[in-house]
Amino acid sequence: VPTMDRTIPIIADDYVDREFGTGALKITPGHDPNDYAIGKRHRLEIVNIMNKDATMNGLVPEEYQNLDRFEARQKIWEDMESSNLAIKAEDHQQRVPRSQRGGGRNVSLQSSSPASHH
């Protein structure tokens, strides 16, 4: 992760659709049930970078801490572009679960222990 000087593992898993996009998939075990299952199979660490109010916590670089998730996403993208780390942006259809009643996004928060909730 260039913004944090952190290395991340590269794994192979049958869940990934190699015909979609680059054929690579970012796995975030604390983000959704599919990523959690993949992370568990490969013993990946669950890293929670969000507070319960959807702001960034102290595990992210200081310039992103306490930003709302959408603000942080925009700032990270801008920082990646200005550092020549972004190759291109493409529109694609997200598969985000929605609530039947309210239409809002269903977002899960996985953790390895109660102490990992920040």
Side-chain angles (χ1 to χ4, degrees), residues 3 12 16 23-24 31 41 47-50 58 61 64 85 88-89 97 100 103-107 110:
T3 59
V16 179
H31 181 69
R41 276 197 297 278
V47 179
N48 178 13
I49 61 167
M50 293 176 76
Y64 309 120
L85 294 172
K88 66 179 175 178
Q100 284 184 314
R105 294 178 184 186
N106 288 339
V107 179
Q110 309 292 329

Coordinates of all heavy atoms in Angstrom, one line a residue, residues 3 12 16 23-24 31 41 47-50 58 61 64 85 88-89 97 100 103-107 110:
T3 N 0.6 4.4 0.1 CA 0.4 5.6 1.0 C 0.8 5.3 2.4 O 0.8 6.1 3.3 CB -1.1 6.0 1.0 OG1 -1.9 4.9 1.4 CG2 -1.5 6.5 -0.4
A12 N -4.0 -16.4 -4.8 CA -4.8 -16.9 -5.9 C -6.0 -17.6 -5.2 O -5.9 -18.3 -4.2 CB -4.1 -17.9 -6.7
V16 N -12.3 -15.5 -7.7 CA -12.0 -14.3 -8.6 C -12.3 -14.7 -10.1 O -11.9 -15.7 -10.6 CB -10.5 -13.9 -8.5 CG1 -10.2 -12.8 -9.4 CG2 -10.1 -13.6 -7.1
G23 N -8.6 -9.0 -13.9 CA -8.5 -10.4 -13.4 C -8.0 -10.4 -12.0 O -7.9 -11.5 -11.4
A24 N -7.7 -9.2 -11.4 CA -7.2 -9.1 -10.0 C -8.3 -8.6 -9.2 O -9.2 -7.8 -9.6 CB -6.0 -8.2 -9.9
H31 N -14.7 -6.4 5.1 CA -15.7 -5.6 4.4 C -17.0 -6.3 4.1 O -18.1 -5.7 4.2 CB -15.1 -5.1 3.1 CG -16.0 -4.2 2.3 ND1 -16.4 -3.0 2.7 CD2 -16.6 -4.4 1.1 CE1 -17.1 -2.5 1.8 NE2 -17.3 -3.3 0.8
R41 N -9.9 -18.4 4.3 CA -9.3 -19.5 3.6 C -7.7 -19.3 3.5 O -7.0 -20.2 3.6 CB -9.8 -19.6 2.2 CG -11.1 -20.4 2.1 CD -11.3 -20.9 0.7 NE -11.6 -19.8 -0.3 CZ -12.7 -19.2 -0.5 NH1 -13.8 -19.5 0.3 NH2 -12.8 -18.3 -1.4
V47 N -8.3 -6.0 8.9 CA -7.8 -4.6 9.3 C -9.0 -3.7 9.1 O -9.5 -3.5 8.0 CB -6.7 -4.1 8.4 CG1 -6.2 -2.7 8.9 CG2 -5.5 -5.1 8.5
N48 N -9.5 -3.2 10.2 CA -10.7 -2.2 10.2 C -10.2 -0.8 10.3 O -9.6 -0.4 11.3 CB -11.6 -2.5 11.4 CG -12.8 -1.6 11.4 OD1 -13.0 -0.9 10.4 ND2 -13.5 -1.5 12.5
I49 N -10.3 -0.1 9.2 CA -9.8 1.3 9.1 C -11.0 2.3 9.3 O -10.7 3.5 9.1 CB -9.1 1.6 7.8 CG1 -10.1 1.4 6.6 CG2 -7.9 0.7 7.7 CD1 -9.5 1.9 5.3
M50 N -12.2 1.9 9.6 CA -13.3 2.8 9.8 C -13.8 2.8 11.2 O -13.9 1.7 11.9 CB -14.4 2.4 8.8 CG -14.0 2.6 7.4 SD -15.3 2.1 6.3 CE -16.5 3.4 6.4
G58 N -7.5 5.8 13.2 CA -6.1 6.0 13.4 C -5.2 5.0 12.7 O -4.0 5.1 12.7
P61 N -3.2 6.8 7.2 CA -2.3 7.9 7.3 C -3.0 9.2 7.9 O -4.2 9.3 7.6 CB -1.8 8.2 5.9 CG -1.9 6.8 5.3 CD -3.1 6.2 5.9
Y64 N -5.8 11.3 6.2 CA -7.1 10.7 5.9 C -8.0 10.5 7.2 O -9.1 10.2 7.1 CB -7.0 9.4 5.1 CG -6.1 9.5 3.9 CD1 -5.0 8.7 3.8 CD2 -6.4 10.4 2.9 CE1 -4.2 8.8 2.7 CE2 -5.6 10.5 1.8 CZ -4.5 9.7 1.7 OH -3.7 9.8 0.6
L85 N 0.3 7.1 -9.4 CA 0.0 5.7 -9.0 C -1.3 5.2 -9.7 O -1.5 4.0 -9.7 CB -0.1 5.6 -7.5 CG 1.2 5.9 -6.7 CD1 0.9 5.9 -5.2 CD2 2.2 4.8 -7.0
K88 N -5.8 4.2 -14.6 CA -7.0 4.7 -15.3 C -8.2 4.4 -14.4 O -8.2 3.6 -13.5 CB -7.2 4.0 -16.6 CG -7.5 2.5 -16.6 CD -7.7 2.0 -18.0 CE -7.9 0.4 -17.9 NZ -8.1 -0.1 -19.2
A89 N -9.3 5.1 -14.7 CA -10.6 4.9 -14.0 C -11.6 4.4 -15.0 O -11.6 4.9 -16.2 CB -11.0 6.2 -13.4
P97 N -25.2 -5.1 -2.0 CA -26.5 -5.4 -1.5 C -27.3 -4.2 -1.0 O -26.7 -3.3 -0.4 CB -26.2 -6.4 -0.3 CG -24.7 -6.8 -0.5 CD -24.1 -5.7 -1.3
Q100 N -34.2 -4.1 1.3 CA -35.5 -4.2 0.6 C -36.4 -3.1 1.1 O -37.2 -2.5 0.3 CB -36.2 -5.5 0.9 CG -35.6 -6.7 0.1 CD -36.4 -8.0 0.4 OE1 -36.7 -8.3 1.5 NE2 -36.7 -8.7 -0.7
G103 N -33.9 0.7 0.8 CA -33.1 0.9 -0.4 C -31.6 1.2 -0.1 O -30.8 1.4 -1.0
G104 N -31.3 1.4 1.2 CA -29.9 1.7 1.6 C -28.9 0.6 1.4 O -29.4 -0.6 1.3
R105 N -27.6 0.9 1.4 CA -26.6 -0.2 1.2 C -26.6 -1.0 2.5 O -26.6 -0.5 3.6 CB -25.3 0.5 1.0 CG -25.1 1.2 -0.3 CD -23.8 1.8 -0.4 NE -23.6 2.6 -1.6 CZ -22.5 3.1 -2.0 NH1 -21.4 3.0 -1.3 NH2 -22.5 3.8 -3.1
N106 N -26.4 -2.3 2.3 CA -26.2 -3.2 3.4 C -24.7 -3.4 3.5 O -24.0 -3.9 2.7 CB -26.8 -4.6 3.2 CG -28.3 -4.5 3.3 OD1 -28.9 -3.6 3.9 ND2 -29.0 -5.5 2.7
V107 N -24.1 -2.9 4.6 CA -22.7 -3.0 4.8 C -22.4 -3.7 6.1 O -23.0 -3.4 7.1 CB -22.0 -1.5 4.9 CG1 -20.5 -1.6 5.2 CG2 -22.3 -0.7 3.6
Q110 N -16.9 -6.8 9.7 CA -16.4 -8.1 10.3 C -15.2 -7.7 11.2 O -14.6 -6.7 11.0 CB -15.8 -9.0 9.2 CG -16.8 -9.2 8.0 CD -18.0 -10.0 8.4 OE1 -17.9 -10.9 9.3 NE2 -19.1 -9.8 7.8

